[in-house]
Amino acid sequence: QVTLVETGGGEAQPGGSLRLSCEASGISSFNLATTGWYRRAPGKQRELVARITVEGYLDYDDNVRGRFTIARDNPNNIVYLEMNDLKPEDTGVYYCNVIRFTDYWGQGIQVTVSS
């Protein structure tokens, strides 16, 4: 059974920071997987936030580039999303994504940015 467990969400004030963690289990050779984070804001479709490939290449949405950082800890099967200078527009449900032969998704974790 493949599971992706997201933690680290919650509330933050504008300009604040949060770090999301996604711990994967049941995935063979996690180090060979492409991993990323997506989000769905209220009333909007799901969009890519950040992605890191097997080769280490980074891909960020224009709205978060320079504020968010994606990183991975392969020995522990974890992918992180560090979010800095948060804005109310960052509010939404964030989903961890791992591609290893097929797509795997976490259940989603709420991030709320408000004064």
Side-chain angles (χ1 to χ4, degrees), residues 42-59:
K44 300 178 64 176
Q45 63 183 6
R46 186 169 61 185
E47 65 179 5
L48 173 69
V49 177
R51 179 167 51 206
I52 181 168
T53 69
V54 172
E55 297 82 6
Y57 297 131
L58 305 175
D59 187 14

Side-chain angles (χ1 to χ4, degrees), residues 2 4 22 24 27-38 48 50-54 72 79 96-106:
V2 173
L4 306 178
C22 173
I27 296 179
S28 177
S29 300
F30 179 82
N31 61 302
L32 300 180
T34 290
T35 62
W37 289 90
Y38 292 71
L48 173 69
R51 179 167 51 206
I52 181 168
T53 69
V54 172
R72 57 196 296 171
V79 57
C96 178
N97 171 243
V98 176
I99 303 176
R100 177 68 174 141
F101 301 117
T102 188
D103 262 327
Y104 299 101
W105 294 91

Side-chain angles (χ1 to χ4, degrees), residues 21 44 51 54 64 69 71 73 83-84 108:
S21 298
K44 300 178 64 176
R51 179 167 51 206
V54 172
V64 307
T69 302
D73 180 0
M83 303 181 291
N84 299 311

Side-chain angles (χ1 to χ4, degrees), residues 77-91:
N77 298 340
I78 301 174
V79 57
Y80 298 101
L81 182 68
E82 183 178 356
M83 303 181 291
N84 299 311
D85 192 22
L86 285 163
K87 302 177 180 180
E89 306 92 269
D90 296 319
T91 294

